[in-house]
Amino acid sequence: MEYFDLEKAFDSVNHDIPLSKCEFYGFKGKTNALLRSYLSDRYQKVLINNSSSNNTAFSEWGKIKHGVPQGSILGPLFFLLSINDLPNIMADPLKPVLFPDDTSVIIANLIPSKFKEDINNIIDDKNDWFRSNSLSLNFDKTYFVQFRPKNRYETNIKITCDNKLIKETKNIKFLGLNIDSSLSWKDHIDQIMFKLGTACYVIRYVKHFMSQDTLRTIYFSYFHAILLYGIIFWGNSGIQFLYF
């Protein structure tokens, strides 16, 4: 599985790209003009704080020509529209997984040489697509993982793109889940145990001055939420843990 990370993804989006894609998807006329007005004519300046002299200075106002507003409701939507056609460059049996600026590709092939060829092809194709859409890969945070049974030797593969080595990792965090190459989920469960230990301490600390209903709310919003997150994936791992 290949995990791609984009460099300053939300700040790099060219305004014309999501707007043109909005028009392609049917947002035309006044609707497209409204979306354009949301992105255009925004300005920013930089605050420079000199801690040694307690003096502050501001840069000149500069017009924002790239990027979507982060922390807004429409910002992630504009970014998703920008990369929505990315799966079109991938043919079966490649399976893309898109979640805002985290993009991954699942590659299944039992033949090592073919597996390496598939990885090299998809990373070159995606890198070309990112460039044409004014985005760039962050090679320091782009990895690939070989998922395999514990009793099977891993394939020694060197993957490069633009003369830069794509690092292989045995463990990666994806959407809050710690995934290891053998899918044992041990690292993920270790992390859950630590978080649940903290949750137990909090509940024990406040139980003496909280009502039963409030404690129940804390349990379901804190302890229970941690325990259930992603359990459909790691729940059958066979690793047992107990809390008293």
Side-chain angles (χ1 to χ4, degrees):
M1 189 169 185
E2 192 91 27
Y3 294 87
F4 297 87
D5 185 82
L6 295 175
E7 197 166 17
K8 297 182 179 179
F10 279 68
D11 296 330
S12 302
V13 175
N14 186 312
H15 292 169
D16 291 332
I17 293 176
L19 290 172
S20 63
K21 292 184 179 181
C22 282
E23 188 170 2
F24 174 80
Y25 293 131
F27 296 92
K28 302 180 180 180
K30 292 183 178 180
T31 303
N32 194 276
L34 179 64
L35 295 175
R36 183 176 293 276
S37 69
Y38 175 79
L39 290 175
S40 60
D41 296 328
R42 290 180 178 268
Y43 293 81
Q44 67 179 10
K45 63 179 178 179
V46 178
L47 168 65
I48 304 172
N49 188 358
N50 190 335
S51 58
S52 60
S53 60
N54 294 322
N55 293 326
T56 58
F58 290 93
S59 68
E60 296 292 331
W61 285 104
K63 190 172 184 179
I64 301 175
K65 299 179 180 179
H66 294 82
V68 293
Q70 297 190 44
S72 64
I73 295 175
L74 290 180
L77 180 60
F78 275 114
F79 183 80
L80 288 174
L81 286 169
S82 300
I83 66 169
N84 189 59
D85 57 327
L86 175 58
N88 293 342
I89 68 171
M90 300 177 221
D92 291 336
L94 303 179
K95 297 179 177 61
V97 180
L98 304 182
F99 186 82
D101 58 334
D102 291 322
T103 62
S104 307
V105 180
I106 301 174
I107 304 167
N109 203 307
L110 297 177
I111 304 173
S113 59
K114 183 61 177 172
F115 178 65
K116 179 180 179 179
E117 181 183 344
D118 288 342
I119 293 180
N120 277 310
N121 287 340
I122 191 57
I123 197 170
D124 287 339
D125 290 344
K126 289 193 72 170
N127 193 38
D128 291 340
W129 187 93
F130 288 138
R131 281 177 175 169
S132 64
N133 285 267
S134 301
L135 298 170
S136 59
L137 275 176
N138 183 350
F139 289 98
D140 292 331
K141 294 183 179 180
T142 297
Y143 304 94
F144 75 95
V145 181
Q146 292 187 60
F147 294 113
R148 66 191 188 285
K150 291 181 179 180
N151 57 356
R152 182 171 179 175
Y153 292 105
E154 66 178 12
T155 303
N156 187 18
I157 295 177
K158 299 294 183 183
I159 306 298
T160 59
C161 182
D162 287 348
N163 295 320
K164 296 179 181 178
L165 182 67
I166 305 299
K167 296 182 287 292
E168 181 178 6
T169 182
K170 308 298 182 187
N171 188 295
I172 196 164
K173 190 169 185 178
F174 183 67
L175 302 182
L177 298 174
N178 282 305
I179 307 174
D180 60 271
S181 58
S182 61
L183 295 180
S184 69
W185 299 104
K186 182 181 182 303
D187 292 337
H188 183 72
I189 291 175
D190 287 343
Q191 183 189 53
I192 289 177
M193 291 175 65
F194 177 80
K195 290 182 178 180
L196 292 181
T198 304
C200 285
Y201 172 79
V202 171
I203 293 174
R204 283 198 302 267
Y205 183 80
V206 302
K207 71 177 182 179
H208 301 293
F209 47 88
M210 293 283 184
S211 67
Q212 197 74 15
D213 288 339
T214 303
L215 286 174
R216 188 178 293 109
T217 300
I218 294 173
Y219 166 81
F220 280 107
S221 62
Y222 193 3
F223 188 100
H224 197 71
I226 294 172
L227 185 62
L228 258 62
Y229 182 77
I231 197 170
I232 190 173
F233 301 107
W234 60 265
N236 291 326
S237 64
I239 299 177
Q240 299 180 357
F241 59 98
L242 299 175
Y243 266 88
F244 298 94

